Amino acid sequence: MKYISTRGSAPALEFEDVLLAGLARDGGLYVPEIWPTLSRETIASLAGRPFPEVAVEVITPFTGGAFTQEELLGMARDAYATFGHPAVTPLVQIGTNLWILELFHGPTLAFKDVAMQLLARLMDHVLKRRGQRATIVGATSGDTGGAAIEAFRGSAAVDVVILYPSGRVSDVQRRMMTTPREPNVHAVAIEGTFDDCQALVKGMFNDHAFRDRMHLAGVNSINWARIVAQLTYYFAAAVALGAPHRPVSFAVPTGNFGDIFAGYVARRMGLPIERLVIGSNVNDILPRTVATGVYEKRGVTPTTSPSMDIEVSSNFERYLFEAQGRDSALIRAQMAALAQSGRFEVKGGPELLTRDFAAASATEAEVADAIRRVWEVSGYTIEPHTACGLIAAERCLPPGPVPQIVLATAHPAKFPDAMEAILGERPGLPPRLSSLMTDEERTSLLPNDLAAVESFVEERARAGAERLA
Ligand SMILES: *Cc1c(COP(=O)(O)O)cnc(C)c1O
């Protein structure tokens, strides 16, 4: 299985190299040369099986023989043993035909753990086999950073530097990044927005000399292996509710377009997904794009769902590449237009986009109302990101009695201030995280400046090399 870049001028790579590369050398994102499919029988056979076995079944077609089945199963079992629920991603029914898919039982209480715990094990495995080490640099709008630091803390082969927007992540999110004591993990506050952090990471990857010297690897949702690992719960949930014999719909709180793109891939692989719904907060660039066919930046407003306060949805490029007929020249032109004038047009317009997705956005008042309503009607607590997904699900009902599955991307305890303001009560952290709010923090503050960040990484990663030597 080869992978090609959306921008058309980076070398095609095998899964192992894509795993370590993150962004392609031409600034594009890697996608499989050919989309694998699963037969109806194979999908049906997933029903009732343990989560790690489902993971092996859906991930194997993408790995091109990089791991044996036993190796992959071993890593999947290890990865999902860190979760606080035996079903890993359980479903909870909150209405007629309405289900919540709880993706927050991992160590940092957000869905990013599902992919990151496995990704860390895949990377360690490959690096160990090659006798190499790597430096992971990543940007986080809140949850990716904690998930990465938690997954890689103590790794002998990997140093991790995570950039987060100063003052724009919740206390719990920040503490998950700043309290781990292992010397191979570093949280860095950047004076800027998430998009600034993401631009700095892209800047480091596009500095090829720096990239090679530091053995940079990426774990943001631009990393293809994360998308692949997110296929797991689409399949597990859909078969639990009757697929492939009946279709299901998913509503997905969306920021960087990674999670929803995994849903798009699952559908391409043969999973019968009737409707794939994009949920956003007031930062509604994706619903606007679906409605108008024009992707247009208008600035980011901070909300109670900070992991969706984004207007450069990196993975959207993967979708564009597929939907517009794999035209790299067109992608390059669109991305140049975005950089220059903050907008571009999708070829095929709303007709194309609405064939693949439905979309809706939620105001802060609607989010608060949805959280209260769910609590009153079913005694169940959702947090603001999940509420955006739920609102979009309600606005974009599929025709007929199709089960609607809303992805719950975070545990309410991750956003205690927002939850207290809405429900009047602070949700408690699970007991295993009881010392989080009192542990000592370790963080650095840097300006929104590529040179400053590169020299920080260089210093810390060199320390990593010395420790390893
Ligand atoms: C990261 C995140 C999202 C957005 O996921 P994308 O893959 O970036 O679209 C939504 N909710 C929560 C809680 C997150 O951490």
Side-chain angles (χ1 to χ4, degrees):
M1 166 74 67
K2 285 268 189 201
Y3 289 85
I4 55 172
S5 166
T6 52
R7 307 250 176 127
S9 54
L13 297 181
E14 298 289 344
F15 180 81
E16 277 190 33
D17 296 298
V18 169
L19 175 69
L20 299 174
L23 205 61
R25 272 181 183 272
D26 57 5
L29 282 75
Y30 279 108
V31 292
E33 194 165 44
I34 297 162
W35 290 100
T37 56
L38 294 182
S39 69
R40 223 180 128 81
E41 294 70 46
T42 304
I43 295 171
S45 77
L46 300 176
R49 286 175 52 200
F51 194 87
E53 292 182 20
V54 174
V56 170
E57 201 73 60
V58 303
I59 292 170
T60 297
F62 291 96
T63 58
F67 314 101
T68 66
Q69 296 273 305
E70 300 79 70
E71 285 170 343
L72 199 51
L73 185 59
M75 289 187 275
R77 283 192 176 134
D78 276 0
Y80 299 120
T82 66
F83 278 58
H85 196 294
V88 183
T89 61
L91 281 161
V92 175
Q93 187 165 18
I94 63 161
T96 309
N97 265 327
L98 184 59
W99 304 76
I100 295 284
L101 178 57
E102 293 186 339
L103 302 177
F104 52 66
H105 291 281
T108 69
L109 309 183
F111 87 97
K112 307 229 164 46
D113 290 324
V114 181
M116 205 68 82
Q117 287 292 327
L118 184 62
L119 180 64
R121 285 161 176 85
L122 298 177
M123 274 194 178
D124 259 359
H125 186 98
V126 169
L127 287 167
K128 204 186 278 174
R129 185 158 69 200
R130 295 180 171 188
Q132 288 176 357
R133 92 191 153 76
T135 307
I136 284 170
V137 293
T140 186
S141 57
D143 292 328
T144 305
I149 284 174
E150 187 61 44
F152 285 96
R153 60 193 289 187
S155 162
V158 177
D159 290 301
V160 179
V161 179
I162 297 294
L163 312 182
Y164 67 92
S166 180
R168 295 204 192 201
V169 300
S170 78
D171 286 352
V172 174
Q173 287 177 322
R174 190 190 65 250
R175 285 183 157 276
M176 283 173 166
M177 294 187 274
T178 57
T179 56
R181 297 175 161 278
E182 287 80 357
N184 71 317
V185 293
H186 308 276
V188 179
I190 295 293
E191 296 170 325
T193 64
F194 168 68
D195 289 329
D196 294 329
C197 295
Q198 193 159 244
L200 287 167
V201 169
K202 282 191 180 169
M204 285 188 268
F205 273 96
N206 285 331
D207 179 347
H208 291 176
F210 179 80
R211 173 181 181 158
D212 291 341
R213 201 159 63 243
M214 294 292 110
H215 296 276
L216 287 196
V219 295
N220 272 0
S221 60
I222 53 174
N223 187 303
W224 174 251
R226 270 187 61 186
I227 306 276
V228 168
Q230 288 171 11
L231 296 169
T232 52
Y233 46 78
Y234 281 96
F235 280 91
V239 297
L241 295 183
H245 313 296
R246 64 169 181 170
V248 298
S249 285
F250 286 97
V252 186
T254 305
N256 222 346
F257 212 76
D259 205 1
I260 186 109
F261 188 71
Y264 173 86
V265 174
R267 180 151 70 187
R268 284 199 74 136
M269 291 174 74
L271 192 64
I273 300 177
E274 174 83 30
R275 197 155 281 194
L276 206 43
V277 182
I278 295 168
S280 83
N281 59 30
V282 292
N283 298 299
D284 62 348
I285 188 162
L286 290 165
R288 277 192 283 115
T289 305
V290 171
T292 65
V294 180
Y295 189 100
E296 185 177 33
K297 285 165 69 172
R298 289 187 186 164
V300 172
T301 309
T303 70
T304 52
S305 43
S307 296
M308 296 156 65
D309 293 344
I310 289 176
E311 63 171 358
V312 181
S313 295
S314 303
N315 278 292
F316 194 57
E317 180 169 335
R318 286 193 161 111
Y319 166 72
L320 285 175
F321 182 68
E322 291 305 321
Q324 295 177 150
R326 297 200 150 195
D327 182 346
S328 304
L330 178 57
I331 297 283
R332 287 197 300 273
Q334 287 168 325
M335 294 305 139
L338 183 65
Q340 210 166 49
S341 61
R343 73 196 292 278
F344 65 84
E345 284 175 29
V346 178
K347 184 179 149 198
E351 294 75 24
L352 175 80
L353 291 155
T354 52
R355 204 185 58 203
D356 292 324
F357 303 105
S361 64
T363 65
E364 290 292 89
E366 288 168 336
V367 165
D369 173 66
I371 290 171
R372 282 190 211 104
R373 195 158 38 82
V374 170
W375 169 245
E376 279 158 18
V377 171
S378 52
Y380 185 79
T381 312
I382 58 171
E383 54 72 55
H385 302 79
T386 307
C388 292
L390 176 72
I391 291 163
E394 290 172 339
R395 297 228 178 107
C396 307
L397 285 176
V402 175
Q404 269 211 312
I405 304 167
V406 178
L407 272 51
T409 50
H411 190 290
K414 213 155 180 189
F415 303 96
D417 295 340
M419 295 308 296
E420 186 174 22
I422 294 165
L423 287 182
E425 219 177 294
R426 276 180 102 68
L429 283 168
R432 60 199 160 111
L433 293 171
S434 58
S435 70
L436 183 71
M437 300 315 285
T438 49
D439 285 347
E440 196 185 323
E441 292 192 77
R442 187 167 60 92
T443 185
S444 309
L445 180 67
L446 290 180
N448 176 19
D449 175 67
L450 183 60
V453 175
E454 285 192 348
S455 60
F456 179 94
V457 173
E458 200 131 15
E459 273 167 35
R460 304 304 152 123
R462 225 180 288 137
E466 279 159 17
R467 273 198 314 279
L468 202 74

